[in-house]
Amino acid sequence: MLQESFWQKVKKDFRINRELYLLFIPVLLFYIIFQYGPMFGLSIAFKNYTPARGFFRSPWVGLKHFKNFFSDYYFARVLTNTVRISILTLIFTFPMPIILALLISELKGKRFSRSVQTITYLPHFISVVVVCGIIVQLTSSSGAITKFLGHFGFPQATMLNNPHLFLPIYIISGIWQTIGWNSIIYLSALTSIDGELYEAATIDGAGRFRQLVSITLPCLSGTIVIMLILAVGKMFNVGYEKILLLYNPLTYEVSEVISTYVYRKGLLEFNWSYSAAVGLFNSVVSFALVYLTNKLSKKLSGSSLW
């Protein structure tokens, strides 16, 4: 019997799963139009783009904008801030949902457990603009947090004007925003662990901590690795909306990141080609981080995205 060609297999599969293919068409069109289509605009990173000339008639300049960015006075500051904020955010924010999920799983009362989950989920649904407005009010010179810390000797001044306090405020508020929502996937993974493993461990005399180390964390390791890979991929896309709403010229030195730099150059200074080049550099680095993290994870633990 002759082996079926690739296209014969596709046609055969299409006849069998025709409805599924039809349902997939809107998803495919969405990604083509809104995800891959805009990639054509990356060509302006290699041109001196002006709206009057358009994509095709704007003069080609090659790697000029990339060279200008790498030699820019602010390049070192922007890159350093992006790396520092990303790494510290990952270190302090990533483990928190795991810890919360483990703590919630230990709660005996279902009503109390659901109440805790609901309370911790709520910040995720609050607009970033509203969250930043709350932060600005609470940390102003007359804000509740500033007044409370004043009882312990802290100066009664706007905290967001202090470069040393910007990063702690950003990270702590980020934990508050994301800890509950990000714990959902770990809670789901915990429910899939076979209860007989815990029963066997209890019979063998293992305590709660020993069960956590020997059963819970190893069973969660696959989920943790996948979420870590995704988090590393987002490192260089550190939440610029929040930074834009919180920073000011007094804290540019520690808060300006690549994303906010692209915004200032592209939308405020109308330097579209330069900002496109910086954004492309950011995307390439993010892809490289995902690829390397995935490869390292596959080599060390056997778990990976692909």
Side-chain angles (χ1 to χ4, degrees):
M1 184 177 178
L2 294 176
Q3 188 175 5
E4 289 183 316
S5 68
F6 173 76
W7 291 111
Q8 287 175 331
K9 291 180 180 178
V10 170
K11 290 179 181 178
K12 184 178 179 180
D13 190 65
F14 181 79
R15 285 195 299 268
I16 297 173
N17 302 298
R18 184 180 303 172
E19 293 81 4
L20 294 177
Y21 280 100
L22 291 176
L23 288 173
F24 178 69
I25 288 175
V27 179
L28 180 63
L29 291 176
F30 171 82
Y31 277 95
I32 291 174
I33 296 171
F34 296 104
Q35 302 295 327
Y36 291 98
M39 287 185 180
F40 175 74
L42 291 175
S43 61
I44 70 174
F46 306 94
K47 298 181 177 183
N48 273 333
Y49 172 77
T50 57
R53 294 184 175 183
F55 289 105
F56 299 103
R57 292 188 297 169
S58 296
W60 185 271
V61 295
L63 299 176
K64 173 187 174 183
H65 300 299
F66 294 93
K67 293 177 181 177
N68 289 342
F69 175 57
F70 297 144
S71 60
D72 193 294
Y73 172 79
Y74 296 107
F75 171 73
R77 187 180 79 178
V78 169
L79 186 62
T80 301
N81 289 340
T82 303
V83 172
R84 182 174 65 251
I85 293 176
S86 300
I87 291 177
L88 291 177
T89 300
L90 185 67
I91 291 173
F92 290 102
T93 304
F94 182 77
M96 292 302 175
I98 303 172
I99 296 172
L100 178 63
L102 293 173
L103 293 175
I104 290 176
S105 67
E106 293 295 324
L107 295 176
K108 302 300 181 183
K110 289 186 177 180
R111 181 176 295 179
F112 181 67
S113 173
R114 290 171 182 171
S115 300
V116 171
Q117 291 179 58
T118 302
I119 293 171
T120 54
Y121 295 167
L122 285 177
H124 172 79
F125 299 100
I126 302 176
S127 168
V128 176
V129 176
V130 175
V131 169
C132 291
I134 294 172
I135 295 171
V136 169
Q137 291 295 324
L138 292 177
T139 59
S140 64
S141 57
S142 58
I145 294 178
T146 307
K147 286 186 174 295
F148 174 76
L149 294 177
H151 295 295
F152 300 94
F154 285 84
Q156 297 292 292
T158 302
M159 298 173 69
L160 285 172
N161 289 343
N162 187 338
H164 300 292
L165 296 178
F166 179 86
L167 190 53
I169 292 173
Y170 177 85
I171 292 176
I172 293 171
S173 60
I175 293 173
W176 172 71
Q177 281 181 274
T178 61
I179 185 172
W181 183 257
N182 290 344
S183 67
I184 293 176
I185 190 168
Y186 299 109
L187 287 169
S188 300
L190 285 170
T191 59
S192 65
I193 299 176
D194 190 353
E196 293 182 359
L197 295 174
Y198 293 107
E199 293 177 6
T202 303
I203 294 173
D204 290 339
R208 299 302 299 173
F209 181 76
R210 186 63 184 175
Q211 292 177 27
L212 171 68
V213 174
S214 301
I215 300 175
T216 307
L217 290 180
C219 290
L220 283 179
S221 61
T223 303
I224 292 173
V225 167
I226 298 300
M227 296 303 293
L228 179 61
I229 294 172
L230 295 174
V232 170
K234 298 176 183 177
M235 280 179 59
F236 270 60
N237 294 321
V238 61
Y240 68 95
E241 302 99 334
K242 188 176 175 182
I243 292 178
L244 278 173
L245 294 167
L246 292 180
Y247 79 164
N248 58 67
L250 294 175
T251 57
Y252 278 169
E253 185 178 353
V254 296
S255 61
E256 181 86 290
V257 295
I258 292 178
S259 299
T260 58
Y261 186 71
V262 169
Y263 168 79
R264 287 202 303 111
K265 288 291 183 181
L267 295 181
L268 300 184
E269 299 180 15
F270 306 108
N271 198 342
W272 296 286
S273 293
Y274 184 81
S275 63
V278 178
L280 180 57
F281 165 77
N282 191 25
S283 300
V284 170
V285 173
S286 297
F287 175 77
L289 286 173
V290 171
Y291 178 80
L292 292 174
T293 306
N294 185 78
K295 192 171 183 179
L296 183 63
S297 171
K298 190 174 184 178
K299 184 176 181 180
L300 296 179
S301 65
S303 299
S304 61
L305 284 175
W306 67 84

